[in-house]
Amino acid sequence: MPYVLLITFLIIVDQISKYEVHKRFFQGETHPIIGEFFHLTYVQNRGIAFGFFQGKLDIISALTIVAILGIGVYFYKNFKKLPVMEKLGYSFILGGALGNIIDRLYRGFVIDMIDFRGIWTFVFNLADVWINIGVIFILLDSFIKERSKKQEEIK
């Protein structure tokens, strides 16, 4: 149950941020937050990560739904044997993926607004952040398991 609450919380925070940007900004409008380093910029992304596959919403949505279902089924079936860090990872990935699919199905595009200039040329959103955090959790868990395994082999 705590993981369902976490997923729900992540979706809500993502959707509130997108709603506020959509309500307060015009498409393409940008506001500096930290000098020229960090801006809030309203972008309507009709593709996937990094703007790839623009205009292919049907294909993207179908593949995303299949991926969400696959991850959700794996998470549910293996829940009891997954370590906490991996559970957190899948929760963040699902929260982010669901946040973006809601946009695609409801709006026909994903709202992006996080714009780090000078170090990154792409604008992204909190759902993308959640997905990346989830991947980091899973990679860290894998790294820790591998390291523990090697230490056991040494003993």
Side-chain angles (χ1 to χ4, degrees):
M1 183 58 105
Y3 297 99
V4 172
L5 292 174
L6 174 60
I7 292 167
T8 303
F9 173 77
L10 295 171
I11 293 168
I12 290 169
V13 171
D14 171 66
Q15 289 298 305
I16 288 171
S17 70
K18 291 172 178 175
Y19 172 79
E20 289 298 324
V21 167
H22 185 70
K23 184 173 85 173
R24 298 175 190 275
F25 288 52
F26 296 107
Q27 185 178 349
E29 185 176 353
T30 187
H31 293 276
I33 304 299
I34 302 174
E36 286 302 312
F37 174 69
F38 175 62
H39 284 227
L40 288 180
T41 302
Y42 180 18
V43 174
Q44 294 179 356
N45 184 352
R46 298 177 193 281
I48 58 172
F50 313 116
F52 291 123
F53 303 109
Q54 288 293 317
K56 308 272 191 237
L57 190 66
D58 294 342
I59 296 167
I60 294 165
S61 295
L63 291 174
T64 302
I65 290 169
V66 168
I68 290 169
L69 289 173
I71 292 167
V73 166
Y74 174 82
F75 188 37
Y76 178 77
K77 284 188 170 190
N78 295 289
F79 184 81
K80 289 183 179 177
K81 60 184 171 183
L82 292 175
V84 172
M85 197 173 310
E86 201 168 337
K87 288 176 184 176
L88 287 170
Y90 286 117
S91 297
F92 272 86
I93 290 169
L94 286 169
L98 288 165
N100 279 340
I101 197 66
I102 289 168
D103 274 18
R104 285 190 184 99
L105 297 176
Y106 176 69
R107 292 186 174 94
F109 54 86
V110 174
I111 294 175
D112 290 332
M113 78 290 290
I114 301 171
D115 184 4
F116 285 99
R117 298 183 173 195
I119 61 167
W120 193 256
T121 59
F122 304 103
V123 180
F124 54 100
N125 60 47
L126 289 177
D128 300 329
V129 172
W130 306 154
I131 292 168
N132 283 288
I133 289 171
V135 169
I136 289 167
F137 273 129
I138 291 169
L139 289 173
L140 279 173
D141 182 68
S142 177
F143 175 75
I144 291 167
K145 283 179 190 172
E146 187 63 31
R147 187 169 182 168
S148 295
K149 184 179 169 183
K150 286 184 181 180
Q151 286 178 346
E152 287 298 317
E153 289 172 0
I154 293 171
K155 290 180 183 179

